[in-house]
Amino acid sequence: MAMTATISTQSPAPRPQASALPPGVDIKVRRPKLDYPADTRDWAGDNNAFSRFMEGLSMLFPEGERFFVESVNKYRDQITDPVLKKQVSAFAAQEGMHAVEHHKYNVRAAGPLVEELEAVAGLLRRPAVQRFLSPMNRLAITVALEHFTAIMADELLRNRVYANEMEPHHAKLWLWHAVEETEHKAVAFDVYRAVGGGFVRRAAIMQVMTTLFVFGSAGLLTRLLRQDGRRVSARDAGRFLNLAFGNPGFFRQVFPAWLQFFRPTFHPWDHDNSDLIARWKSEYADA
Ligand SMILES: [Fe+2]
Ligand SMILES: [Fe+2]
């Protein structure tokens, strides 16, 4: 029997670099209509510690998210998969919108202090710090912090006790941001993997960034409470600590998901939480 061999003159299709998104998940750029009643100072649980904690977290977003986008875009030319390239654009657009909305939110919360407080995350974008961090380390920082935001988003969307404590206009901002963090949770990771980023680097950087996050958010909480000028009552302190560490214990709940990052074969979509995105879409008409 005669054997024939065909030699293709076409170059092979580029290897996929983007991970497949679960059915129904799309990295969609939204422009939600957000406004906040003027009389909701203690908008989270009628509790100044809880409200100032969330506002402190929000102070990290505008500069932090600009840093993420810059770190990922630095590798744009090395991405050969058109699907991942498109995801990077959608990721940048979502993070850009988050930065804008959280900055407006931060001005409302901190007034003239806003620049000083946003500068905490802005340290990452300072030329002196950028010179010290290689592009690969900046990308690994982004991968670590994107996992951080993804696991916090998961808990916020899954367990509605936190959002139910919030004034609904404020809850809308936090839930919208959480959904989009879930949609794009693998983009920075896939870029990191595509350009040769390894396990040891991302695992080491996650430990450093977790420590910085703990000190950074505690510092911002303290600064905002000082500006507030009111003592935290025993009732408010107890309720806040219980939500954070007791029952349900936000940080206790996210800890197992944080640990998952230290598996060498970890991928953000190992945990398919697309049901949370679908639930949010069914609840918000402008989703
Ligand atoms: Fe974001
Ligand atoms: Fe993000």
Side-chain angles (χ1 to χ4, degrees), residues 212-249:
L212 291 176
F213 173 82
V214 170
F215 283 105
S217 52
L220 286 164
L221 169 64
T222 310
R223 188 75 184 84
L224 282 165
L225 281 172
R226 212 165 61 217
Q227 185 214 21
D228 212 16
R230 290 173 298 155
R231 294 176 69 91
V232 179
S233 68
R235 169 207 163 264
D236 283 358
R239 176 77 185 129
F240 172 60
L241 290 172
N242 194 39
L243 276 171
F245 303 105
N247 183 20

Side-chain angles (χ1 to χ4, degrees), residues 1-194:
M1 189 168 36
M3 303 262 297
T4 53
T6 19
I7 298 167
S8 170
T9 50
Q10 286 179 333
S11 53
R15 205 161 45 89
Q17 294 173 319
S19 52
L21 297 177
V25 176
D26 179 23
I27 305 173
K28 184 177 166 188
V29 185
R30 304 171 181 86
R31 291 171 188 275
K33 288 189 184 65
L34 297 163
D35 53 47
Y36 312 96
D39 60 346
T40 52
R41 194 177 183 199
D42 291 344
W43 55 272
D46 194 27
N47 180 324
N48 60 341
F50 186 16
S51 305
R52 300 296 86 76
F53 175 78
M54 296 302 291
E55 288 164 3
L57 202 58
S58 178
M59 298 297 158
L60 297 170
F61 290 134
E63 285 292 289
E65 300 197 304
R66 286 184 196 113
F67 172 85
F68 297 167
V69 171
E70 288 163 1
S71 305
V72 170
N73 274 343
K74 182 96 185 155
Y75 285 94
R76 220 190 141 74
D77 292 347
Q78 294 184 37
I79 302 167
T80 52
D81 179 351
V83 176
L84 186 56
K85 253 196 166 119
K86 241 174 114 179
Q87 289 185 357
V88 165
S89 300
F91 159 80
Q94 282 190 334
E95 296 291 40
M97 194 60 69
H98 302 165
V100 168
E101 288 301 336
H102 276 275
H103 177 67
K104 284 193 223 160
Y105 193 70
N106 294 347
V107 169
R108 178 195 176 278
L113 265 191
V114 72
E115 271 188 36
E116 177 195 326
L117 300 186
E118 288 188 352
V120 171
L123 275 174
L124 285 170
R125 297 181 69 224
R126 286 265 190 83
V129 177
Q130 297 254 314
R131 270 197 296 279
F132 170 74
L133 293 168
S134 69
M136 190 58 91
N137 283 341
R138 281 180 246 156
L139 186 59
I141 289 172
T142 301
V143 170
L145 291 176
E146 278 287 281
H147 181 60
F148 227 96
T149 52
I151 61 179
M152 294 199 295
D154 180 84
E155 177 63 7
L156 188 71
L157 290 165
R158 183 173 307 281
N159 191 342
R160 286 299 176 87
V161 67
Y162 317 104
N164 289 344
E165 295 259 346
M166 298 176 188
E167 190 283 328
H169 294 78
H170 291 261
K172 187 176 176 182
L173 167 85
W174 289 96
L175 293 173
W176 159 68
H177 194 166
V179 160
E180 294 196 351
E181 288 303 320
T182 307
E183 287 175 337
H184 73 228
K185 67 178 176 174
V187 175
F189 189 95
D190 288 347
V191 171
Y192 181 72
R193 201 167 56 173

